[in-house]
Coordinates of all heavy atoms in Angstrom, one line a residue:
L1 N 140.9 51.7 90.7 CA 141.9 51.8 89.8 C 143.2 52.5 90.3 O 144.4 52.0 90.1 CB 141.5 52.5 88.5 CG 140.4 51.7 87.6 CD1 140.0 52.5 86.4 CD2 140.9 50.3 87.2
A2 N 143.0 53.5 91.1 CA 144.1 54.2 91.7 C 144.8 53.4 92.7 O 146.1 53.3 92.7 CB 143.6 55.5 92.4
Y3 N 144.0 52.5 93.3 CA 144.7 51.6 94.4 C 145.5 50.5 93.6 O 146.6 50.1 94.0 CB 143.6 50.8 95.2 CG 144.2 49.7 96.0 CD1 144.9 49.9 97.1 CD2 144.1 48.4 95.5 CE1 145.4 48.9 97.9 CE2 144.7 47.4 96.2 CZ 145.4 47.6 97.4 OH 145.9 46.5 98.0
L4 N 145.0 50.1 92.4 CA 145.7 49.1 91.7 C 147.1 49.6 91.3 O 148.0 48.8 91.1 CB 144.9 48.7 90.4 CG 143.7 47.8 90.6 CD1 142.9 47.6 89.3 CD2 144.0 46.5 91.2
V5 N 147.2 50.9 91.0 CA 148.5 51.5 90.6 C 149.3 51.8 91.8 O 150.5 51.5 91.9 CB 148.3 52.7 89.7 CG1 149.7 53.2 89.3 CG2 147.5 52.3 88.4
V6 N 148.7 52.3 92.8 CA 149.5 52.9 94.0 C 149.6 51.8 95.1 O 150.6 51.8 95.8 CB 148.7 54.1 94.5 CG1 149.5 54.6 95.8 CG2 148.7 55.2 93.5
G7 N 148.6 51.0 95.2 CA 148.7 50.0 96.3 C 149.2 48.7 96.0 O 148.9 47.7 96.7
V8 N 149.9 48.5 94.9 CA 150.4 47.2 94.5 C 151.8 46.9 95.2 O 152.3 45.9 94.9 CB 150.6 47.2 93.0 CG1 149.3 47.3 92.3 CG2 151.6 48.2 92.5
V9 N 152.2 47.7 96.1 CA 153.5 47.5 96.7 C 153.7 46.1 97.3 O 154.6 45.3 97.1 CB 153.9 48.6 97.7 CG1 155.2 48.3 98.4 CG2 153.9 50.0 97.0
V10 N 152.7 45.8 98.2 CA 152.7 44.5 98.9 C 152.6 43.4 97.9 O 153.4 42.4 98.0 CB 151.5 44.5 99.9 CG1 151.5 43.0 100.5 CG2 151.7 45.6 101.0
V11 N 151.8 43.5 96.9 CA 151.6 42.4 96.0 C 152.9 42.2 95.1 O 153.3 41.1 94.9 CB 150.5 42.6 95.1 CG1 150.3 41.6 93.9 CG2 149.1 42.7 95.9
E12 N 153.5 43.3 94.7 CA 154.7 43.2 93.9 C 155.9 42.6 94.7 O 156.7 41.9 94.2 CB 155.1 44.6 93.4 CG 154.2 45.1 92.3 CD 154.7 46.4 91.7 OE1 155.8 46.8 92.1 OE2 154.0 46.9 90.8
V13 N 155.9 42.9 96.0 CA 157.0 42.3 96.8 C 156.7 40.8 97.1 O 157.7 40.0 97.1 CB 157.1 43.0 98.2 CG1 157.9 42.4 99.2 CG2 157.5 44.5 98.1
V14 N 155.5 40.4 97.3 CA 155.2 39.0 97.5 C 155.6 38.2 96.3 O 156.2 37.1 96.5 CB 153.7 38.8 97.9 CG1 153.3 37.4 97.8 CG2 153.4 39.4 99.2
F15 N 155.3 38.7 95.2 CA 155.5 37.9 93.9 C 156.8 38.3 93.2 O 157.1 37.9 92.1 CB 154.3 38.0 92.9 CG 153.1 37.4 93.5 CD1 152.1 38.2 94.1 CD2 152.9 36.0 93.4 CE1 150.9 37.6 94.6 CE2 151.7 35.5 93.9 CZ 150.7 36.3 94.4
V16 N 157.6 39.2 93.8 CA 158.9 39.6 93.2 C 158.7 40.1 91.8 O 159.4 39.8 90.9 CB 160.0 38.5 93.3 CG1 161.3 39.1 93.2 CG2 159.9 37.7 94.6
Y17 N 157.7 41.0 91.7 CA 157.3 41.5 90.4 C 158.2 42.8 90.1 O 158.1 43.7 91.0 CB 155.9 41.8 90.3 CG 155.4 42.3 88.9 CD1 155.3 41.5 87.9 CD2 155.0 43.7 88.8 CE1 154.9 42.0 86.6 CE2 154.6 44.2 87.6 CZ 154.5 43.3 86.5 OH 154.1 43.8 85.3
P18 N 158.8 43.0 89.0 CA 159.7 44.2 88.8 C 158.9 45.4 88.5 O 159.0 45.9 87.3 CB 160.5 43.7 87.6 CG 159.6 42.7 86.8 CD 158.8 42.0 87.8
G19 N 158.1 45.9 89.4 CA 157.3 47.1 89.2 C 157.8 48.2 90.0 O 158.8 48.2 90.7
M20 N 156.9 49.3 90.2 CA 157.2 50.4 91.0 C 157.3 50.1 92.4 O 158.2 50.6 93.2 CB 156.3 51.6 90.7 CG 156.3 52.2 89.4 SD 157.7 53.5 89.5 CE 157.0 54.7 90.5
G21 N 156.4 49.2 92.9 CA 156.4 48.9 94.3 C 157.7 48.2 94.8 O 158.2 48.5 95.8
Q22 N 158.1 47.2 94.0 CA 159.4 46.5 94.3 C 160.5 47.5 94.2 O 161.5 47.5 95.0 CB 159.6 45.4 93.3 CG 160.8 44.5 93.5 CD 160.6 43.7 94.8 OE1 159.6 43.1 95.0 NE2 161.7 43.6 95.7
Y23 N 160.5 48.3 93.2 CA 161.6 49.4 93.1 C 161.7 50.3 94.3 O 162.8 50.5 94.8 CB 161.3 50.1 91.8 CG 162.4 51.2 91.4 CD1 163.6 50.8 91.1 CD2 162.1 52.6 91.4 CE1 164.6 51.8 90.8 CE2 163.0 53.5 91.0 CZ 164.3 53.1 90.7 OH 165.2 54.1 90.4
L24 N 160.5 50.7 94.8 CA 160.5 51.5 96.0 C 161.1 50.8 97.2 O 161.8 51.4 97.9 CB 159.0 52.0 96.2 CG 158.7 52.8 97.5 CD1 159.6 54.1 97.5 CD2 157.3 53.1 97.6
V25 N 160.6 49.6 97.4 CA 161.0 48.9 98.6 C 162.5 48.6 98.6 O 163.3 48.7 99.6 CB 160.2 47.6 98.7 CG1 160.8 46.7 99.8 CG2 158.8 47.8 99.0

């Protein structure tokens, strides 16, 4: 579950999802 929140950066970038990972990148 921690990975699902913290490790979503790559997935959010691939799908251009407006989450924390995309915001960070």
Side-chain angles (χ1 to χ4, degrees):
L1 290 181
Y3 170 80
L4 285 176
V5 178
V6 177
V8 295
V9 176
V10 174
V11 174
E12 288 187 359
V13 171
V14 169
F15 293 99
V16 199
Y17 183 72
M20 284 284 291
Q22 184 70 45
Y23 184 62
L24 173 61
V25 171

